[in-house]
Amino acid sequence: MLIIRPEPLTAEAFKPFGDVIETRDRDFFMINSGSTQRFHRLASVMLGKAGDRGIISIFRAKHTPMPMQVKMLERHPQGSQAFVPLKQNPFLVLVAPAGETPDPASIRAFITDGTQGVNYHTGVWHHPVLTCVEEDDFLVVDREGEGNNCDEYFFADETKILLQTP
């Protein structure tokens, strides 16, 4: 059995999978007559085809009890997908590198600090949102357009992957 434990989310550790959306240690410039700091382009929305649109949604997610057996991962082959917590609660991020299928040995888990969001790059395998509280809201930025943009991969029953929190 493969046991995965979350590590703190940092931009460097998450770089192979996407962007960490946060203001800590990021440059900004002043706008609105000096009353507002703009932390510009913390992540880029990736769109796959002409005619695609970047959309903004809110996801309301329910808590998944831990430890959790990881049975599936998904990817978005035609665009990025970003999650930004609206209530400043930490959440879990489970990812594997882009490829034809996810390799269980390459799965990594991260825990955010409640102020960080993530932007999964196109094709990166990830688990659907995992909250650390009973119910949580996320601002989600992703692609809308023609064609399938969500592939799901279900691990064989004999593949035992356990996400365990401290």
Side-chain angles (χ1 to χ4, degrees):
M1 175 176 293
L2 177 62
I3 298 175
I4 301 169
R5 290 185 175 83
E7 60 188 274
L9 180 67
T10 66
E12 188 61 34
F14 196 71
K15 192 174 188 173
F17 312 105
D19 308 302
V20 175
I21 302 169
E22 65 183 334
T23 57
R24 183 182 315 120
D25 299 325
R26 296 310 242 319
D27 291 332
F28 64 89
F29 55 91
M30 300 304 292
I31 61 171
N32 298 333
S33 301
S35 67
T36 304
Q37 294 176 330
R38 180 174 176 152
F39 296 87
H40 187 69
R41 199 173 180 201
L42 297 176
S44 295
V45 178
M46 298 172 184
L47 304 173
K49 299 180 194 175
D52 285 356
R53 295 163 301 282
I55 61 169
I56 299 172
S57 305
I58 292 179
F59 286 16
R60 180 161 293 145
K62 302 277 187 203
H63 178 66
T64 302
M66 295 291 155
M68 177 195 83
Q69 183 173 346
V70 178
K71 296 182 178 184
M72 63 83 70
L73 294 177
E74 65 181 30
R75 68 177 176 181
H76 304 284
Q78 297 188 50
S80 58
Q81 187 179 48
F83 286 82
V84 179
L86 293 176
K87 297 179 180 177
Q88 296 191 334
N89 294 312
F91 66 100
L92 296 167
V93 177
L94 191 66
V95 290
E100 249 339 275
T101 60
D103 173 14
S106 69
I107 295 174
R108 291 179 68 184
F110 299 93
I111 187 163
T112 72
D113 67 8
T115 66
Q116 300 165 303
V118 295
N119 183 46
Y120 300 117
H121 284 177
T122 303
V124 167
W125 292 101
H126 62 278
H127 195 278
V129 67
L130 294 165
T131 71
C132 293
V133 296
E134 200 57 39
E135 183 179 270
D136 213 350
D137 290 346
F138 298 85
L139 182 92
V140 178
V141 179
D142 59 355
R143 172 209 174 262
E144 179 181 65
E146 289 188 28
N148 177 45
N149 192 32
C150 186
D151 295 333
E152 295 178 332
Y153 181 86
F154 290 87
F155 294 101
D157 289 340
E158 59 272 4
T159 303
K160 301 292 184 197
I161 306 166
L162 191 68
L163 175 61
Q164 195 166 48
T165 56

